[in-house]
Amino acid sequence: MDVTMPQLGETVTEGTITRWFKQVGESVDLDEPLFEVSTDKVDSEVPAPAGGVITEILVAEGDTVAVGVRLAVIGGAQAPASQPPDAAPAAVAPIPVPTAPVPAAPVPAAPVPTAVAAVAIPVPLAPTPAPTPAVPTPVAGTAPANTAVPLVSGVVASPLVRGLISEYGLDGASIVGTGLGGRITRNDVLAVARMRGAGAPASVPGAPASAASAPQLSSSGTQNPEPQNPERASVATSGGDLVVPFDNIRRRTAEHMVRSKATSAHVYTSIEVDFERIERVRRAAGAAFKAEEGFSLTYLPFVCRALSDVLHDYPNVNASVDGDSLVVHREVHLGIAVDLDFHGLVAPVVRAVDGKRLRLIAREIRDLAARAKTKQLRPDEVMGGTFTITNMGPFGTAMTLPIINQPQVAILATDGVHKKPVVVLGPDGDDTIAIHHMGVLALAWDHRAFDGAYAGSFLHDIKTVLETHDWNSELN
């Protein structure tokens, strides 16, 4: 059975193999962790899709490949160890280095199959460098991991790793490879770059432009006329500075966030909510809830419960953009952004949250968050979200302006709940000052999907549910 790169999120196009738990010739059971993959959405341990013996490993640790690419093969019985990825059937044999000078006349190149991502191709010797073919600039939103890059002669590494070696201005021959067959992995390059204090990647002639400098497409698919961004200014460093290359999650997160800002017409609307009644329920039932469930009752499940009640009245909020169309979802699949110990974010999905009671929502959020932090999420648990909540409340923030999780059209930020003096209606019907627990809900929304009145009314109805619902009866 083939093992392929899973899609860990709708916008994920590639992943980096960070660790193989099994090697060729070793046995693996169904659902036993087989490898660890890193994407811009999640670092996750991926279980084996079947039991058997690992007969081939086609992608080395540190290599980045597209979703759907074959990573390994699981056989039903003990099999001899396979060759490393450089000799895999789908790979191209290394081009021999000629010992005699190559004629100056151009020689037609043989067709190269598409599966060359993990092939080391030494550069043929030539008396004078041949003209380098123009490399097409990738369109923003495409994955440049396997795009052709200037090769480093004699380096056993994938094109992605060769590109990193060139970008950081390193000598590939001096890097010790820790991958299969002595291959140089991405982590090997970054380790050397950190040790030598290499600065930001240098501009490489002929290398593909980054997503930030590539031409952007309009919603109709035509190229925008804006000129490319100028080259990045170099940063002055001193002896005490630490240069930390961006890892895969940081780079991919940046690409998706920039793409989201360029794609959606972002607008922000916020509303202040009185959480006093919810706080009283939490105080009264908090101890019993923790004894029964094993964790504390926070404000987040209340917001999720209120949101699920309101979304059906505002269907365009629970929607996604597909080209020039708005796809309105019938069910509410709620993504909850989870911090991975300050090393990235992932948004596991609470399925069909509409119709679920408060206690069940709290359990599912707790379970998904715990497994996200221990890299135990399944691929399907980070896909299919129709709306996302990001919760900064535990840090006491005042108001967060989030970026929409594409292709969704809105994301809600919940911030800290604080005691504040507010004007309330007194027992005699007059206004009076009281101290209540207050918090802000901030909605980032796509102006293509709806307008300001729609967004404001949506937030107003969430506020009404939070402030007036009989939470005590539901919790008990």
Side-chain angles (χ1 to χ4, degrees), residues 22-26 53-58 73 77-85 87-89 180:
K22 298 290 183 179
Q23 299 302 321
V24 170
E26 294 183 350
V53 175
I54 308 299
T55 59
E56 290 183 282
I57 291 181
L58 306 175
V73 178
Q78 184 70 28
S82 67
Q83 295 177 333
L180 293 175

Side-chain angles (χ1 to χ4, degrees), residues 162-224:
R162 291 170 177 271
L164 285 176
I165 293 173
S166 296
E167 289 175 347
Y168 283 103
L170 302 176
D171 179 9
S174 66
I175 302 176
V176 178
T178 61
L180 293 175
R183 294 168 58 80
I184 298 174
T185 69
R186 180 175 177 277
N187 290 336
D188 296 333
V189 176
L190 296 182
V192 173
R194 284 193 294 268
M195 181 178 63
R196 298 185 180 179
S203 176
V204 182
S210 66
S213 61
Q216 302 292 316
L217 294 185
S218 68
S219 59
S220 62
T222 59
Q223 191 172 3
N224 288 335

